[in-house]
């Protein structure tokens, strides 16, 4: 541990202590989502189920609620439900990462937990340099940096980052986001026998690669894995233009399904599909867990998208993680469902079977709150439009005639109503996780998902149901949810 590393760790502890009361007084602190203790959280990193413990690292700038030189913060859990905050795994303390320990991944190798990450450096001319680095640990808590393992290849800019590493048939592979000198976003594949020496294997796919066409100036946080018989590439391209209901965030996240040729590095794939339809979702990362499930965490935020306007900034923190989600491939589409273990959080069940919802707005005193889970199963729908309003700030709208589902909210930037949409042939169920300032909506068992932050009046806990032009009958179940952080 270097002197600079010790200085940064001590400064982070002092910052947490200085603002602890201010942070905890924020009515928008979340109950059952992972948040930073102070400062800014962004990408999930190094997500792994190792030696009986789930480790979730994250991009963390502890010194202000804004982007800056990133640490790797560290959460651990035995069950994906209840979490503990540990000491930061990495600090930006060395020449090869002095302006940020950027995103990456984790693998188990010979009894050690190894972290692969991007070292971000600004040189004396304020020019970006990028180094792919490794650190390792024997106990999963204290990490020793081993330095640089991979440099920027010819033909690419210093926007070369976010390594995701895995092993297949005794060989290690690494995918990484890259930008060409022609300013096209790519994903590249490398291979290694020992996790030290890496050889370029090929261009997986990217903007203006093969038949892709123009598709963004940088591709961040790639994650390539096998799921239900197919190869899947998750990636966050920057620079996409809006198309109908798609790509309405400043930066977007989605996936390709296909087959990876491990010799040439090429992914032969179908079209890009957006993964989450909401306002805040970016840079997800997955792992295979002890039960063989493909589990995902996403960052509940988007870079460059009104971040400085979040009301939490004045309380010295910003952003959160999504809930953990299990991924399944169904008819060529990724379905996302909250992991089963989250049912442990439920308490005080309220059940209302066969409720007839009409054009007259209905509120039920026992179905309200600020941190709860709500399950709505449709039994019969004869309404043209169904609306569910959460705390007079968020609205879920299904228009049966237009075959469209909409999530609306009051913008925290300008107070106006803003919306996101998707096509939906029929509505069979809504599964909502509503936290003090976050909502995750799973539609039709995960066929579509919307993730968003929202900032309602803390005193307003109302939930309202109504229809237009006809009625809808549904069963309702609601649970209050407990805190997930261990003291």
């Amino acid at each position: 541990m270097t002197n600079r590393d010790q200085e940064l760790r001590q400064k982070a502890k002092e910052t947490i202590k200085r603002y602890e009361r201010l942070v905890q007084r924020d009515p928008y602190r979340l109950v059952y989502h992972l948040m930073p203790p102070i400062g800014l959280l962004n990408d999930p990193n190094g997500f792994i189920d190792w030696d009986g413990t789930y480790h979730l690292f994250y991009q963390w700038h502890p010194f202000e609620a804004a982007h800056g030189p990133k640490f790797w913060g560290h959460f651990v859990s035995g069950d994906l439900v209840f979490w503990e905050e540990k000491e930061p795994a990495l600090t930006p303390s060395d020449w090869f990462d002095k302006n940020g320990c950027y995103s990456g991944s984790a693998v188990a190798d010979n009894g050690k937990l190894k972290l692969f990450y991007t070292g971000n450096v600004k040189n004396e001319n304020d020019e970006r340099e990028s180094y792919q680095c490794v650190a390792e640990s024997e106990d999963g808590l204290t990490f020793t940096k081993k330095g640089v393992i991979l440099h920027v290849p010819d033909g690419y800019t210093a926007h070369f980052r976010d390594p995701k590493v895995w092993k297949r048939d005794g060989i290690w592979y690494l995918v990484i986001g890259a930008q060409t000198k022609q300013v096209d976003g790519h994903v590249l594949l490398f291979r290694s026998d020992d996790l030290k020496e890496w050889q370029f294997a090929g261009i997986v796919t990217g903007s203006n690669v093969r038949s892709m066409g123009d598709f963004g100036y940088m591709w961040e946080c790639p994650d390539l894995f096998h799921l239900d018989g197919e190869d899947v590439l998750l990636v966050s391209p920057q620079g996409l233009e809006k198309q109908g209901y798609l790509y309405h965030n400043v930066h977007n996240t989605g996936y390709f399904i296909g087959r990876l040729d491990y010799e040439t590095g090429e992914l032969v794939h179908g079209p890009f599909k957006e993964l989450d339809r909401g306002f805040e979702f970016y840079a997800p990362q997955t792992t295979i867990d002890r039960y063989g499930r493909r589990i995902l965490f996403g960052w509940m935020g988007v870079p460059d998208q009104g971040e400085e306007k979040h009301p939490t900034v004045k309380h010295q923190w910003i952003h959160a993680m999504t809930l953990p989600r299990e991924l399944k491939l169904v008819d060529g589409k990724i379905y996302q469902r909250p992991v089963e273990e989250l049912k442990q959080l439920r308490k005080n069940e309220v059940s209302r079977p066969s409720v007839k919802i009409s054009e007259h707005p209905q509120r039920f005193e026992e179905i309200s709150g600020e941190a709860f889970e709500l399950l709505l199963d449709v039994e019969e729908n004869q309404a043209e439009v169904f609306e569910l309003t959460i705390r007079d700030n968020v609205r879920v709208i299904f228009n049966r005639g237009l075959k469209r589902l909409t999530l609306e909210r009051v913008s925290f930037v300008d107070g106006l109503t803003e919306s996101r949409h998707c096509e939906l042939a029929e509505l069979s169920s809504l599964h909502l996780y509503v936290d003090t300032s976050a909502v995750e909506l799973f539609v039709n068992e995960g066929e579509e998902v919307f993730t968003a932050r929202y900032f309602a009046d803390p005193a307003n806990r109302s939930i309202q149901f109504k229809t237009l032009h006809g009625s809808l009958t549904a069963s309702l179940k609601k649970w209050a949810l407990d805190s997930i952080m261990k003291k």
Side-chain angles (χ1 to χ4, degrees), residues 277-332:
R277 307 294 194 167
F279 296 92
E280 276 90 24
F281 183 87
Y282 195 72
Q285 188 170 104
T286 74
T287 194
I288 283 281
D289 82 342
R290 62 196 69 171
Y291 306 112
R293 300 175 299 181
R294 178 62 58 174
I295 308 295
L296 173 147
F297 271 97
W299 170 31
M300 204 183 298
V302 174
D304 309 318
Q305 187 167 286
E307 291 175 274
E308 71 285 355
K309 300 292 187 180
H310 279 240
T312 66
V313 169
K314 65 184 179 184
H315 285 266
Q316 297 296 320
W317 74 281
I318 185 172
H319 297 318
M321 291 295 173
T322 68
L323 294 172
R325 305 171 180 180
E326 182 179 2
L327 304 185
K328 292 287 188 181
L329 203 56
V330 181
D331 297 328

Side-chain angles (χ1 to χ4, degrees), residues 8 19 39 52 59 65 73 122 144 167 176 250 263 314 317 366 409 428 452:
L8 289 168
Y19 293 112
Q59 292 283 277
K122 295 290 183 69
T144 302
K167 195 174 192 178
I176 192 164
V250 173
E263 292 304 313
K314 65 184 179 184
W317 74 281
E366 69 274 26
R409 72 172 177 193
S428 61

Side-chain angles (χ1 to χ4, degrees), residues 66 91 102 109 138 198 207 240 250 269 312 326 335 337 371 384 386 425 453 481:
T91 70
Y102 278 11
D109 179 49
E138 294 187 357
W198 292 87
S207 180
L240 303 186
V250 173
H269 59 78
T312 66
E326 182 179 2
Y335 278 51
R337 299 182 179 119
E384 183 74 10
F386 165 73
R453 299 298 302 277
L481 298 185

